[in-house]
Amino acid sequence: MAPKANHHETMTRQWEILQFLPRGKGGKTAAEVVRHLEEQGITISKRTVERDLVALSVSFGIICDDESVPYRWQWMPGSGAEFPTLTIAEALSIKIVESVLRPLLPKSMLETLEHRFREAGGKLSVVPRQNQNSDWSNKFRYVQPALPLLPPGIDEDVLACVQTSLLKDRQLEIRYQAFGQKEPQWLTMHPLALVQRGPTTYLVATAYEYRDIRLYAVHRISEARTTTNATARPYGFSVDEYIATGGMNFGAGRTIRLKANIESGLCRLLKETPVSDDQSITVKGGKAVLTATVADSWQLKWWILSQGNGIEIVKPVSLRKTITENLREALSQYDPDASCRNN
């Protein structure tokens, strides 16, 4: 192995040791240090750790309590490992979540984290290849359960303006083109939160003096201006409660009691991954019957339609009618006679 690689390995190992040692009484033995390094993916002998500790004591304020065996190492009173660095585990975690954080955090906050992102990358770049943790970022991925879609492009200046308005609780003027509209229009918004839903970033907000909370896709905002007027935040608004009640599923916060007949495949899936806490599946007359309290939303309808003949809605009747109409319209697209008439 090249001398430079050996140097990087030694530095990485010794940084970990310095951060692990406690202050004051109750130091760590060389054997405890070895176990800690192994947890970090660094395999090294006890003898090498003992040599590291002796070498580090020359340049840093660490001392050995040799009054009893085994000897214990610790920082001197008033000293400590106050280093602007990361452990290997921290570096891995930061690199994994970096891609998720970037579209959500305001530019001002990202600027304060950029050095940590760079530090995490640098830390991992010098971790020895034989370290079992070094390749973890290449062994972990999050995959959307639905059809993967590429994220839409977002104007950086627009996103920065939206984030600033949220941070300062200021009203926001946006030029927004809603889905299906031919022309954009200017809206005055009361921004409440930013939520990442799959590849799309949404602004949760109210408009003008209306109190109903809606979603606005940030990539559909072509211009944005932060005003000096304070945001009128709905009393008791909680983004977590909004999400829990189905707001991000394009619903109005209402729930329904769903009853449906389901096929065996879907039955097995829902037993493993329920649609609600109160889900119940019973077998009657050879049919599996699903009952659950779920958010009344577009997402629910999309999910039902995606199951094809695996599910038959029984109640509510209004939902059954909606699904029936959607299926009839879809089927008409494949009607050869209708196709001939259209041509």
Side-chain angles (χ1 to χ4, degrees):
M1 186 179 292
K4 184 176 181 180
N6 279 324
H7 177 66
H8 283 156
E9 290 180 24
T10 301
M11 285 186 61
T12 300
R13 183 177 69 247
Q14 291 184 347
W15 278 117
E16 291 291 337
I17 293 173
L18 288 172
Q19 290 185 303
F20 179 63
L21 295 180
R23 301 176 184 176
K25 295 182 179 180
K28 299 294 184 180
T29 67
E32 289 174 323
V33 174
V34 169
R35 286 196 294 272
H36 170 73
L37 292 175
E38 288 177 347
E39 291 173 356
Q40 300 299 312
I42 302 174
T43 302
I44 201 71
S45 70
K46 180 170 173 285
R47 182 58 186 149
T48 300
V49 167
E50 290 171 339
R51 286 197 295 266
D52 282 341
L53 288 166
V54 172
L56 290 170
S57 67
V58 176
S59 302
F60 297 93
I62 62 172
I63 56 175
C64 176
D65 180 0
D66 57 3
E67 293 183 359
S68 61
V69 178
Y71 297 163
R72 293 182 174 274
W73 293 82
Q74 63 201 35
W75 284 92
M76 295 173 57
S79 300
E82 300 295 339
F83 305 115
T85 188
L86 300 168
T87 65
I88 295 172
E90 289 171 338
L92 287 167
S93 298
I94 288 176
K95 293 304 291 182
I96 288 171
V97 303
E98 179 183 355
S99 60
V100 178
L101 291 177
R102 282 197 175 277
L104 292 176
L105 291 182
K107 186 177 181 180
S108 58
M109 288 187 180
L110 278 174
E111 288 174 351
T112 65
L113 290 173
E114 288 294 352
H115 75 287
R116 299 301 270 182
F117 294 151
R118 289 194 297 270
E119 185 181 356
K123 178 81 172 184
L124 296 178
S125 70
V126 299
V127 172
R129 288 188 176 181
Q130 64 268 29
N131 184 322
Q132 62 185 9
N133 291 336
S134 64
D135 201 34
W136 176 246
S137 60
N138 293 322
K139 298 178 179 179
F140 174 86
R141 291 292 183 272
Y142 173 77
V143 177
Q144 293 286 344
L147 180 70
L149 303 174
L150 296 177
I154 296 178
D155 186 290
E156 291 186 3
D157 293 335
V158 166
L159 181 59
C161 188
V162 170
Q163 292 169 335
T164 299
S165 296
L166 275 168
L167 282 176
K168 296 183 177 181
D169 285 326
R170 294 289 183 267
Q171 292 180 32
L172 179 69
E173 293 181 349
I174 62 172
R175 191 168 182 262
Y176 187 77
Q177 185 164 2
F179 186 76
Q181 284 188 342
K182 294 183 178 180
E183 297 293 334
Q185 59 179 326
W186 281 97
L187 302 171
T188 300
M189 315 299 300
H190 297 267
L192 303 175
L194 270 180
V195 179
Q196 190 74 20
R197 187 181 187 277
T200 306
T201 304
Y202 286 96
L203 172 66
V204 182
T206 60
Y208 298 107
E209 304 305 320
Y210 300 109
R211 300 181 60 84
D212 53 319
I213 299 169
R214 297 190 177 184
L215 296 175
Y216 299 86
V218 176
H219 67 272
R220 296 189 188 126
I221 303 175
S222 55
E223 296 180 58
R225 297 193 293 259
T226 299
T227 74
T228 57
N229 300 321
T231 295
R233 196 174 185 85
Y235 178 77
F237 172 79
S238 163
V239 65
D240 291 330
E241 183 177 347
Y242 177 74
I243 293 172
T245 54
M248 291 307 301
N249 292 330
F250 306 100
R254 296 186 296 270
T255 59
I256 58 174
R257 187 64 177 168
L258 178 68
K259 181 178 180 181
N261 298 322
I262 56 177
E263 296 297 328
S264 58
L266 183 57
C267 180
R268 288 193 296 270
L269 177 63
L270 293 182
K271 284 182 177 179
E272 295 176 346
T273 54
V275 294
S276 72
D277 293 333
D278 66 351
Q279 171 183 294
S280 172
I281 297 178
T282 58
V283 178
K284 294 182 180 179
K287 287 186 176 181
V289 180
L290 164 72
T291 55
T293 302
V294 294
D296 183 11
S297 64
W298 291 356
Q299 182 68 46
L300 173 65
K301 298 178 181 65
W302 294 337
W303 177 78
I304 292 171
L305 291 168
S306 72
Q307 302 305 316
N309 64 352
I311 186 170
E312 176 198 0
I313 303 302
V314 179
K315 293 181 180 178
V317 175
S318 59
L319 177 60
R320 180 183 175 90
K321 289 181 178 179
T322 298
I323 297 301
T324 300
E325 291 170 1
N326 276 268
L327 289 174
R328 282 175 178 163
E329 290 177 5
L331 184 59
S332 69
Q333 304 297 319
Y334 298 90
D335 183 347
D337 295 333
S339 178
C340 290
R341 289 195 298 271
N342 292 334
N343 290 334

